[in-house]
Amino acid sequence: ISAGNGMGNFSADPTGLTPGNTYYVRSYATNDIGTNYSDEQSITLYFVVPLSGTESYTVSSNSVLVYDNGGPDNNYSDNNGGNLILYAGGADYTFEITGTYDIENPYNENYYDELYIYDGASSSTVLAHLAGNSTISTPITSTQNAIRIYFKSDYSVNHSGFRLIVNRIGSASAP
């Protein structure tokens, strides 16, 4: 990706990258003397539960991060509800989920924010219904090769959100 010419600071916003994949980048500069390259850096993109609607992805790595729409550094936004469906990429794979969450407590008001994790792509089997502030220390384990993560926030209070570590377990070549 070309980011400019001349002297100064340059940046680029690549498109078409897939969450969960690791990308390797480095910069370079060319002048009359030659070309000089920076050290290579790796960047792994994380998944974000959308503000509304449903997004689906097939996970190709063994561990991915999932955040609310505030990402790793900001509070989630108010008044949203979206689904993220992750497919394990093979019938013999399932998921284990751990992580942390800081979501509005349901005991503080009538309407509140909620995080659901479902077994499979549908919303028929709830694996976890989370609100408040805690750590998922005992892994939430799916029995299917897909999970649905649904996050809803109400119209007022928001918190720092959630960081889920989603591990793909099993083997596509298992008997």
Side-chain angles (χ1 to χ4, degrees), residues 18-21 47 55-62 64 84-91 93 95 145-147 166 168:
T18 304
N21 287 345
F47 291 93
E55 293 182 9
S56 301
Y57 297 94
T58 298
V59 175
S60 58
S61 60
N62 288 330
V64 297
L84 176 67
I85 300 173
L86 298 178
Y87 293 96
Y93 285 115
F95 290 109
N145 67 342
I147 56 170
V166 179
R168 190 174 66 162

Side-chain angles (χ1 to χ4, degrees), residues 51-132:
L51 289 170
S52 63
T54 300
E55 293 182 9
S56 301
Y57 297 94
T58 298
V59 175
S60 58
S61 60
N62 288 330
S63 185
V64 297
L65 296 175
V66 177
Y67 289 95
D68 56 83
N69 60 53
D73 300 320
N74 297 300
N75 286 8
Y76 55 84
S77 62
D78 290 328
N79 199 26
N80 65 75
N83 293 278
L84 176 67
I85 300 173
L86 298 178
Y87 293 96
D92 295 323
Y93 285 115
T94 59
F95 290 109
E96 280 186 349
I97 302 109
T98 58
T100 58
Y101 58 95
D102 179 15
I103 302 168
E104 184 180 7
N105 192 320
Y107 303 108
N108 293 343
E109 59 181 80
N110 292 334
Y111 300 101
Y112 55 92
D113 308 335
E114 302 173 276
L115 173 63
Y116 284 90
I117 301 171
Y118 296 99
D119 196 10
S122 75
S123 57
S124 61
T125 305
V126 177
L127 290 172
H129 175 205
L130 307 170

